[in-house]
Amino acid sequence: MPDGPDVEGWSCPLPLRDYDRIVIGHGGGGKLSSELVEHLFVPAFNGGTEIELHDAATFDVDGGRLAFSTDSYVVRPLFFAGGCIGDLAVNGTVNDIAMAGAQPIALSAGFILEEGLPMATLGAVVDAMAAASTAAGVRIATGDTKVVEVGHADGMYINTAGVGVVPEGVDIRPSRARAGDVVILSGPIGEHGIAVLSTREGLEFGTDLQSDTAPLNGLVAAMLGAFRDIHVLRDPTRGGVTASLCEIAASAHVGVEYDERAVPVPPAVAAACSFLGLDAMTIANEGKLVAFVPPEGVDAVMNAMHAHPFGRGACVIGRVVDAHPGVVVAKTAFGARRVVDVPLGEQLPRIC
Amino acid sequence: MKYLDEFNDPELAAALFDEIARITTRPWSIMEVCGGQTHSIIRNGIDQLLPDTIELIHGPGCPVCVTPLGVVDKALEIASRPGVIFCSFGDMLRVPGSGRDLFQVKSEGGDVRVVYSPLDAVTLAAENPDREVVFFAIGFETTAPANAMAVHLADRRGLTNFSVLVSHVLVPPAIEAIASSPTSRVDGFLAAGHVCSVMGTWQYGPLVERFGVPIVVTGFEPLDVLEGIRRVVGQLESGTALLENAYERVVTEEGNLPAQQMLDEVFDVCDRQWRGIGMIPASGWRLSDRYRAFDAEVRFDVGAIDSPESDRCRSGEVLQGLIKPFECAAFGVECTPRSPLGATMVSSEGACAAYYQYRRLDA
Amino acid sequence: MCLAVPGKIVDVWEEQGTRMATVDFDGIRKEICLVYLPDAEVGDYAIVHVGFAISKVDEGSARATLQMFRELGILDEELE
């Protein structure tokens, strides 16, 4: 369970301490709002240094192309094994920027808080975001807070947006996939989705699995340092690896083939999928990536990945082919080939 | 997972494929009854690796697919009633009724919840005494004991806010209906292993006798499915017709007696509509008189809802192996996985849905 | 009907007069109703479907079946 916010560094602790829960006034733009910014968000996101508060954060950039991404986080429960909504909010947007080959410069964080949310809960999420952004080497530079009435926002919703600069010579996007490209997966799949599912009402099961939420910008930098001409990067979040491969195949109008036996699935993930009737390939990951790399770069990229904490489990799972453009085909453990498609909607536990 | 992974061993599978190829000298059509077996076959590509002369006909063994349109409409009506918490297995949420599905009811404000077990619905009823909790009790004989226990426990715990919408179907009458059709092409059957773990194997002997077809009780992992096929082919090649049990580690001749006792207490046999096939006499279960108070059809007065199936749908002929999906005029046109007309397109493992997927490889 | 998987019974208890078990599937632990397997004990393997154990796994039979498959493989090699 979360600890309370750290009040030590506050110059004027009293106003925040009066409230142990978020009230509508915290979103009103008046004194309560600014106290929340000055005494909670700024200390957490700026490590105690003085900053000038104005409507927008500004940065110098070295020219070149910008990568820009946004994502909203509505996960329930707020806290789960291996992390919380705050970790996802930071790492998710850091990773989206990184999938363009860019290093993130800064993030924004917009909060929609439910009236009555315990201050301790908000504090714990903010602490997690501060830690995650430090680990990723990115600053949360600007943000916004709104408060909605009880019964909305499921406790809290967070939107983060991020901006980064794409290095010279790097051109990473789905349509660059080419026949001959090798498909690399950075590690075992399904941990985040199953960890969160295990707490879902009606499905609860015990597991030691933890969310794999992690910032991948360091891994991507290492990969690009080893080989500049990586064609595609994608983080397989909602819809899992299947969705990523299908979207890339469709985008680039190429065929993708992968070997089911090459995809690493932790035994606990496989077991959960077995008894619920789910497909591990469609389960969300929050700390993994899929890379499409031309054959001449594979060795260098794999070595760089294996040397990095978030790429130790990296493996080759398939390749891009000339045949069946736009379609993903799996080679089964028994040697047959099967078309793989994105499920129509959310994957639900089945009996049949 | 122990007792699962070993039965997925590709090397042992290769030996079984070789053996089947070695003993097959003539064309045979074999029907696997259970949707779980169909899933295993399609997912692993087993049908592609068997000799071309062996045809696998995917049977009506998916309770989700065969739930009639009228029953789905009853579910939608109940789920739309204010104050109701409608609980269902995940499979049923996307099955369309006459115009919408449970997902849409949820988006319109209905309280629709996915549960893993019927006991979760009973717990919900206990925790929400001011709400009516309804459980969608579908399935074959494998699921019926769980559904029966849910009703029995609700009764024992005095829960007056719990009821079930029952649409249970039975395997032996389905096999009988298929085997007795004058146009049946099925030479042998793989019976459903988990159904038999509950009911035993004794119901299938009379079917073997009457129709002179081999029936092999078969499991679900690739090695189990292949072993079932091997034994059926072995019998067909030697001209025998016997009942065999190829899933002995789980299935016994008498089955699970405590489960059968509870089934006797909670359910009565009744006629049932099978989507895509029509009415099969004595092929279903409904609540017994003793448990009538838990019958959601009565409690919510939806008994009169009865919806005609699409007359463009030929899934009945597909289910019996009489036509291939692409021989149906509606296939891929007005009938797609996104907007299915009938049983075999509703489930992702239905024959029509499976063919729809394969089409894309040739395109 | 179909989706039922083998797991190991690691704990047994009674809840409101109903026999329940914790079943372990490779580290995943689920509460399962044991009412239909009155003779099942901790250490047994059971087939689990929608929260109920419906059959024990006969471990000797499982091993025998796998052995039969292995012998088939050897036999096929000899026939080639």
Side-chain angles (χ1 to χ4, degrees), chain B residues 308-333:
Chain B
E309 306 282 347
S310 159
D311 53 12
R312 289 273 282 160
C313 177
R314 300 179 68 188
S315 58
E317 292 166 86
V318 174
L319 282 168
Q320 295 176 68
L322 299 172
I323 60 165
K324 290 274 181 288
F326 50 79
E327 293 172 86
C328 167
F331 177 75
V333 183

PDB file of all heavy atoms in Angstrom, chain B residues 308-333:
ATOM      1  N   PRO B 308     -36.632 -16.244 -35.206  1.00  0.00           N
ATOM      2  CA  PRO B 308     -36.301 -17.124 -36.333  1.00  0.00           C
ATOM      3  C   PRO B 308     -34.862 -16.895 -36.791  1.00  0.00           C
ATOM      4  O   PRO B 308     -34.376 -15.775 -36.777  1.00  0.00           O
ATOM      5  CB  PRO B 308     -37.287 -16.683 -37.418  1.00  0.00           C
ATOM      6  CG  PRO B 308     -37.675 -15.294 -37.071  1.00  0.00           C
ATOM      7  CD  PRO B 308     -37.488 -15.116 -35.599  1.00  0.00           C
ATOM      8  N   GLU B 309     -34.187 -17.965 -37.154  1.00  0.00           N
ATOM      9  CA  GLU B 309     -32.826 -17.850 -37.653  1.00  0.00           C
ATOM     10  C   GLU B 309     -32.849 -17.314 -39.079  1.00  0.00           C
ATOM     11  O   GLU B 309     -33.861 -17.381 -39.765  1.00  0.00           O
ATOM     12  CB  GLU B 309     -32.140 -19.227 -37.638  1.00  0.00           C
ATOM     13  CG  GLU B 309     -32.186 -19.924 -36.291  1.00  0.00           C
ATOM     14  CD  GLU B 309     -31.185 -19.382 -35.308  1.00  0.00           C
ATOM     15  OE1 GLU B 309     -30.288 -18.638 -35.727  1.00  0.00           O
ATOM     16  OE2 GLU B 309     -31.292 -19.697 -34.109  1.00  0.00           O
ATOM     17  N   SER B 310     -31.699 -16.816 -39.520  1.00  0.00           N
ATOM     18  CA  SER B 310     -31.597 -16.324 -40.894  1.00  0.00           C
ATOM     19  C   SER B 310     -31.829 -17.471 -41.873  1.00  0.00           C
ATOM     20  O   SER B 310     -31.280 -18.563 -41.701  1.00  0.00           O
ATOM     21  CB  SER B 310     -30.207 -15.732 -41.119  1.00  0.00           C
ATOM     22  OG  SER B 310     -29.902 -15.694 -42.487  1.00  0.00           O
ATOM     23  N   ASP B 311     -32.632 -17.212 -42.924  1.00  0.00           N
ATOM     24  CA  ASP B 311     -32.849 -18.297 -43.882  1.00  0.00           C
ATOM     25  C   ASP B 311     -31.736 -18.352 -44.921  1.00  0.00           C
ATOM     26  O   ASP B 311     -31.712 -19.217 -45.783  1.00  0.00           O
ATOM     27  CB  ASP B 311     -34.237 -18.186 -44.530  1.00  0.00           C
ATOM     28  CG  ASP B 311     -34.484 -16.805 -45.128  1.00  0.00           C
ATOM     29  OD1 ASP B 311     -33.509 -16.021 -45.249  1.00  0.00           O
ATOM     30  OD2 ASP B 311     -35.638 -16.502 -45.460  1.00  0.00           O
ATOM     31  N   ARG B 312     -30.803 -17.403 -44.822  1.00  0.00           N
ATOM     32  CA  ARG B 312     -29.654 -17.459 -45.718  1.00  0.00           C
ATOM     33  C   ARG B 312     -28.557 -18.349 -45.144  1.00  0.00           C
ATOM     34  O   ARG B 312     -27.597 -18.666 -45.817  1.00  0.00           O
ATOM     35  CB  ARG B 312     -29.081 -16.032 -45.877  1.00  0.00           C
ATOM     36  CG  ARG B 312     -29.968 -15.115 -46.689  1.00  0.00           C
ATOM     37  CD  ARG B 312     -29.656 -15.253 -48.153  1.00  0.00           C
ATOM     38  NE  ARG B 312     -28.451 -14.536 -48.528  1.00  0.00           N
ATOM     39  CZ  ARG B 312     -27.749 -14.798 -49.637  1.00  0.00           C
ATOM     40  NH1 ARG B 312     -28.123 -15.774 -50.435  1.00  0.00           N
ATOM     41  NH2 ARG B 312     -26.678 -14.083 -49.927  1.00  0.00           N
ATOM     42  N   CYS B 313     -28.723 -18.716 -43.844  1.00  0.00           N
ATOM     43  CA  CYS B 313     -27.641 -19.423 -43.167  1.00  0.00           C
ATOM     44  C   CYS B 313     -27.700 -20.924 -43.425  1.00  0.00           C
ATOM     45  O   CYS B 313     -28.739 -21.551 -43.227  1.00  0.00           O
ATOM     46  CB  CYS B 313     -27.712 -19.146 -41.662  1.00  0.00           C
ATOM     47  SG  CYS B 313     -26.483 -20.052 -40.742  1.00  0.00           S
ATOM     48  N   ARG B 314     -26.589 -21.499 -43.877  1.00  0.00           N
ATOM     49  CA  ARG B 314     -26.543 -22.934 -44.161  1.00  0.00           C
ATOM     50  C   ARG B 314     -25.608 -23.661 -43.192  1.00  0.00           C
ATOM     51  O   ARG B 314     -25.025 -24.692 -43.523  1.00  0.00           O
ATOM     52  CB  ARG B 314     -26.084 -23.150 -45.604  1.00  0.00           C
ATOM     53  CG  ARG B 314     -27.012 -22.504 -46.639  1.00  0.00           C
ATOM     54  CD  ARG B 314     -26.518 -22.712 -48.053  1.00  0.00           C
ATOM     55  NE  ARG B 314     -26.606 -24.113 -48.447  1.00  0.00           N
ATOM     56  CZ  ARG B 314     -26.089 -24.592 -49.584  1.00  0.00           C
ATOM     57  NH1 ARG B 314     -25.438 -23.791 -50.405  1.00  0.00           N
ATOM     58  NH2 ARG B 314     -26.204 -25.864 -49.896  1.00  0.00           N
ATOM     59  N   SER B 315     -25.471 -23.098 -41.977  1.00  0.00           N
ATOM     60  CA  SER B 315     -24.487 -23.681 -41.057  1.00  0.00           C
ATOM     61  C   SER B 315     -24.824 -25.117 -40.687  1.00  0.00           C
ATOM     62  O   SER B 315     -23.926 -25.903 -40.383  1.00  0.00           O
ATOM     63  CB  SER B 315     -24.314 -22.821 -39.807  1.00  0.00           C
ATOM     64  OG  SER B 315     -25.528 -22.658 -39.137  1.00  0.00           O
ATOM     65  N   GLY B 316     -26.087 -25.459 -40.713  1.00  0.00           N
ATOM     66  CA  GLY B 316     -26.456 -26.840 -40.425  1.00  0.00           C
ATOM     67  C   GLY B 316     -25.787 -27.805 -41.381  1.00  0.00           C
ATOM     68  O   GLY B 316     -25.273 -28.857 -40.988  1.00  0.00           O
ATOM     69  N   GLU B 317     -25.765 -27.436 -42.686  1.00  0.00           N
ATOM     70  CA  GLU B 317     -25.133 -28.299 -43.685  1.00  0.00           C
ATOM     71  C   GLU B 317     -23.615 -28.317 -43.507  1.00  0.00           C
ATOM     72  O   GLU B 317     -22.964 -29.344 -43.728  1.00  0.00           O
ATOM     73  CB  GLU B 317     -25.473 -27.806 -45.095  1.00  0.00           C
ATOM     74  CG  GLU B 317     -26.940 -27.974 -45.451  1.00  0.00           C
ATOM     75  CD  GLU B 317     -27.293 -27.179 -46.699  1.00  0.00           C
ATOM     76  OE1 GLU B 317     -27.099 -27.719 -47.801  1.00  0.00           O
ATOM     77  OE2 GLU B 317     -27.740 -26.016 -46.563  1.00  0.00           O
ATOM     78  N   VAL B 318     -23.045 -27.188 -43.067  1.00  0.00           N
ATOM     79  CA  VAL B 318     -21.606 -27.141 -42.807  1.00  0.00           C
ATOM     80  C   VAL B 318     -21.269 -28.043 -41.622  1.00  0.00           C
ATOM     81  O   VAL B 318     -20.321 -28.811 -41.661  1.00  0.00           O
ATOM     82  CB  VAL B 318     -21.136 -25.696 -42.510  1.00  0.00           C
ATOM     83  CG1 VAL B 318     -19.678 -25.668 -42.087  1.00  0.00           C
ATOM     84  CG2 VAL B 318     -21.355 -24.809 -43.722  1.00  0.00           C
ATOM     85  N   LEU B 319     -22.092 -27.952 -40.580  1.00  0.00           N
ATOM     86  CA  LEU B 319     -21.864 -28.736 -39.363  1.00  0.00           C
ATOM     87  C   LEU B 319     -21.890 -30.228 -39.640  1.00  0.00           C
ATOM     88  O   LEU B 319     -21.224 -30.998 -38.974  1.00  0.00           O
ATOM     89  CB  LEU B 319     -22.936 -28.410 -38.316  1.00  0.00           C
ATOM     90  CG  LEU B 319     -22.730 -27.101 -37.557  1.00  0.00           C
ATOM     91  CD1 LEU B 319     -23.995 -26.763 -36.774  1.00  0.00           C
ATOM     92  CD2 LEU B 319     -21.548 -27.224 -36.622  1.00  0.00           C
ATOM     93  N   GLN B 320     -22.688 -30.633 -40.617  1.00  0.00           N
ATOM     94  CA  GLN B 320     -22.760 -32.049 -40.929  1.00  0.00           C
ATOM     95  C   GLN B 320     -21.744 -32.445 -41.978  1.00  0.00           C
ATOM     96  O   GLN B 320     -21.683 -33.601 -42.398  1.00  0.00           O
ATOM     97  CB  GLN B 320     -24.165 -32.404 -41.425  1.00  0.00           C
ATOM     98  CG  GLN B 320     -25.228 -32.211 -40.354  1.00  0.00           C
ATOM     99  CD  GLN B 320     -26.595 -32.487 -40.921  1.00  0.00           C
ATOM    100  OE1 GLN B 320     -26.908 -33.630 -41.261  1.00  0.00           O
ATOM    101  NE2 GLN B 320     -27.408 -31.462 -41.055  1.00  0.00           N
ATOM    102  N   GLY B 321     -20.967 -31.475 -42.422  1.00  0.00           N
ATOM    103  CA  GLY B 321     -19.952 -31.783 -43.420  1.00  0.00           C
ATOM    104  C   GLY B 321     -20.508 -31.947 -44.814  1.00  0.00           C
ATOM    105  O   GLY B 321     -19.834 -32.483 -45.690  1.00  0.00           O
ATOM    106  N   LEU B 322     -21.739 -31.474 -45.062  1.00  0.00           N
ATOM    107  CA  LEU B 322     -22.355 -31.661 -46.375  1.00  0.00           C
ATOM    108  C   LEU B 322     -21.851 -30.638 -47.382  1.00  0.00           C
ATOM    109  O   LEU B 322     -21.770 -30.902 -48.573  1.00  0.00           O
ATOM    110  CB  LEU B 322     -23.882 -31.561 -46.252  1.00  0.00           C
ATOM    111  CG  LEU B 322     -24.480 -32.613 -45.328  1.00  0.00           C
ATOM    112  CD1 LEU B 322     -25.956 -32.332 -45.092  1.00  0.00           C
ATOM    113  CD2 LEU B 322     -24.313 -34.010 -45.923  1.00  0.00           C
ATOM    114  N   ILE B 323     -21.566 -29.437 -46.889  1.00  0.00           N
ATOM    115  CA  ILE B 323     -20.970 -28.427 -47.768  1.00  0.00           C
ATOM    116  C   ILE B 323     -19.776 -27.799 -47.064  1.00  0.00           C
ATOM    117  O   ILE B 323     -19.663 -27.854 -45.840  1.00  0.00           O
ATOM    118  CB  ILE B 323     -21.957 -27.291 -48.142  1.00  0.00           C
ATOM    119  CG1 ILE B 323     -22.442 -26.551 -46.878  1.00  0.00           C
ATOM    120  CG2 ILE B 323     -23.117 -27.801 -48.963  1.00  0.00           C
ATOM    121  CD1 ILE B 323     -23.118 -25.222 -47.184  1.00  0.00           C
ATOM    122  N   LYS B 324     -18.886 -27.232 -47.850  1.00  0.00           N
ATOM    123  CA  LYS B 324     -17.782 -26.459 -47.293  1.00  0.00           C
ATOM    124  C   LYS B 324     -18.273 -25.018 -47.157  1.00  0.00           C
ATOM    125  O   LYS B 324     -19.132 -24.577 -47.917  1.00  0.00           O
ATOM    126  CB  LYS B 324     -16.580 -26.518 -48.241  1.00  0.00           C
ATOM    127  CG  LYS B 324     -15.904 -27.881 -48.302  1.00  0.00           C
ATOM    128  CD  LYS B 324     -14.880 -28.023 -47.210  1.00  0.00           C
ATOM    129  CE  LYS B 324     -14.141 -29.344 -47.215  1.00  0.00           C
ATOM    130  NZ  LYS B 324     -14.973 -30.460 -46.767  1.00  0.00           N
ATOM    131  N   PRO B 325     -17.705 -24.263 -46.196  1.00  0.00           N
ATOM    132  CA  PRO B 325     -18.192 -22.894 -45.993  1.00  0.00           C
ATOM    133  C   PRO B 325     -18.272 -22.047 -47.251  1.00  0.00           C
ATOM    134  O   PRO B 325     -19.240 -21.321 -47.457  1.00  0.00           O
ATOM    135  CB  PRO B 325     -17.164 -22.317 -45.009  1.00  0.00           C
ATOM    136  CG  PRO B 325     -16.722 -23.489 -44.212  1.00  0.00           C
ATOM    137  CD  PRO B 325     -16.720 -24.642 -45.165  1.00  0.00           C
ATOM    138  N   PHE B 326     -17.269 -22.173 -48.134  1.00  0.00           N
ATOM    139  CA  PHE B 326     -17.267 -21.284 -49.297  1.00  0.00           C
ATOM    140  C   PHE B 326     -18.333 -21.656 -50.320  1.00  0.00           C
ATOM    141  O   PHE B 326     -18.550 -20.940 -51.294  1.00  0.00           O
ATOM    142  CB  PHE B 326     -15.883 -21.234 -49.952  1.00  0.00           C
ATOM    143  CG  PHE B 326     -15.283 -22.585 -50.222  1.00  0.00           C
ATOM    144  CD1 PHE B 326     -15.686 -23.325 -51.329  1.00  0.00           C
ATOM    145  CD2 PHE B 326     -14.328 -23.119 -49.374  1.00  0.00           C
ATOM    146  CE1 PHE B 326     -15.134 -24.572 -51.575  1.00  0.00           C
ATOM    147  CE2 PHE B 326     -13.782 -24.371 -49.602  1.00  0.00           C
ATOM    148  CZ  PHE B 326     -14.184 -25.105 -50.716  1.00  0.00           C
ATOM    149  N   GLU B 327     -19.014 -22.784 -50.097  1.00  0.00           N
ATOM    150  CA  GLU B 327     -20.115 -23.144 -50.988  1.00  0.00           C
ATOM    151  C   GLU B 327     -21.418 -22.453 -50.600  1.00  0.00           C
ATOM    152  O   GLU B 327     -22.416 -22.561 -51.300  1.00  0.00           O
ATOM    153  CB  GLU B 327     -20.307 -24.672 -51.002  1.00  0.00           C
ATOM    154  CG  GLU B 327     -19.138 -25.424 -51.643  1.00  0.00           C
ATOM    155  CD  GLU B 327     -19.255 -26.934 -51.460  1.00  0.00           C
ATOM    156  OE1 GLU B 327     -19.928 -27.560 -52.290  1.00  0.00           O
ATOM    157  OE2 GLU B 327     -18.680 -27.483 -50.496  1.00  0.00           O
ATOM    158  N   CYS B 328     -21.398 -21.748 -49.468  1.00  0.00           N
ATOM    159  CA  CYS B 328     -22.585 -21.003 -49.038  1.00  0.00           C
ATOM    160  C   CYS B 328     -22.540 -19.611 -49.655  1.00  0.00           C
ATOM    161  O   CYS B 328     -21.526 -18.925 -49.564  1.00  0.00           O
ATOM    162  CB  CYS B 328     -22.616 -20.909 -47.515  1.00  0.00           C
ATOM    163  SG  CYS B 328     -23.811 -19.733 -46.867  1.00  0.00           S
ATOM    164  N   ALA B 329     -23.624 -19.187 -50.250  1.00  0.00           N
ATOM    165  CA  ALA B 329     -23.656 -17.899 -50.955  1.00  0.00           C
ATOM    166  C   ALA B 329     -23.408 -16.717 -50.031  1.00  0.00           C
ATOM    167  O   ALA B 329     -22.918 -15.677 -50.446  1.00  0.00           O
ATOM    168  CB  ALA B 329     -25.004 -17.733 -51.668  1.00  0.00           C
ATOM    169  N   ALA B 330     -23.757 -16.881 -48.759  1.00  0.00           N
ATOM    170  CA  ALA B 330     -23.599 -15.751 -47.835  1.00  0.00           C
ATOM    171  C   ALA B 330     -22.182 -15.626 -47.295  1.00  0.00           C
ATOM    172  O   ALA B 330     -21.805 -14.597 -46.747  1.00  0.00           O
ATOM    173  CB  ALA B 330     -24.577 -15.913 -46.660  1.00  0.00           C
ATOM    174  N   PHE B 331     -21.369 -16.673 -47.472  1.00  0.00           N
ATOM    175  CA  PHE B 331     -20.028 -16.724 -46.892  1.00  0.00           C
ATOM    176  C   PHE B 331     -19.166 -15.578 -47.391  1.00  0.00           C
ATOM    177  O   PHE B 331     -18.964 -15.406 -48.587  1.00  0.00           O
ATOM    178  CB  PHE B 331     -19.368 -18.070 -47.228  1.00  0.00           C
ATOM    179  CG  PHE B 331     -17.952 -18.195 -46.728  1.00  0.00           C
ATOM    180  CD1 PHE B 331     -17.704 -18.397 -45.377  1.00  0.00           C
ATOM    181  CD2 PHE B 331     -16.869 -18.119 -47.598  1.00  0.00           C
ATOM    182  CE1 PHE B 331     -16.402 -18.531 -44.903  1.00  0.00           C
ATOM    183  CE2 PHE B 331     -15.566 -18.248 -47.129  1.00  0.00           C
ATOM    184  CZ  PHE B 331     -15.334 -18.449 -45.783  1.00  0.00           C
ATOM    185  N   GLY B 332     -18.662 -14.779 -46.443  1.00  0.00           N
ATOM    186  CA  GLY B 332     -17.780 -13.687 -46.815  1.00  0.00           C
ATOM    187  C   GLY B 332     -18.507 -12.499 -47.407  1.00  0.00           C
ATOM    188  O   GLY B 332     -17.892 -11.458 -47.652  1.00  0.00           O
ATOM    189  N   VAL B 333     -19.790 -12.634 -47.646  1.00  0.00           N
ATOM    190  CA  VAL B 333     -20.581 -11.534 -48.197  1.00  0.00           C
ATOM    191  C   VAL B 333     -21.344 -10.884 -47.036  1.00  0.00           C
ATOM    192  O   VAL B 333     -20.816 -10.011 -46.372  1.00  0.00           O
ATOM    193  CB  VAL B 333     -21.514 -12.026 -49.323  1.00  0.00           C
ATOM    194  CG1 VAL B 333     -22.281 -10.869 -49.930  1.00  0.00           C
ATOM    195  CG2 VAL B 333     -20.701 -12.743 -50.405  1.00  0.00           C
TER     196      VAL B 333
END
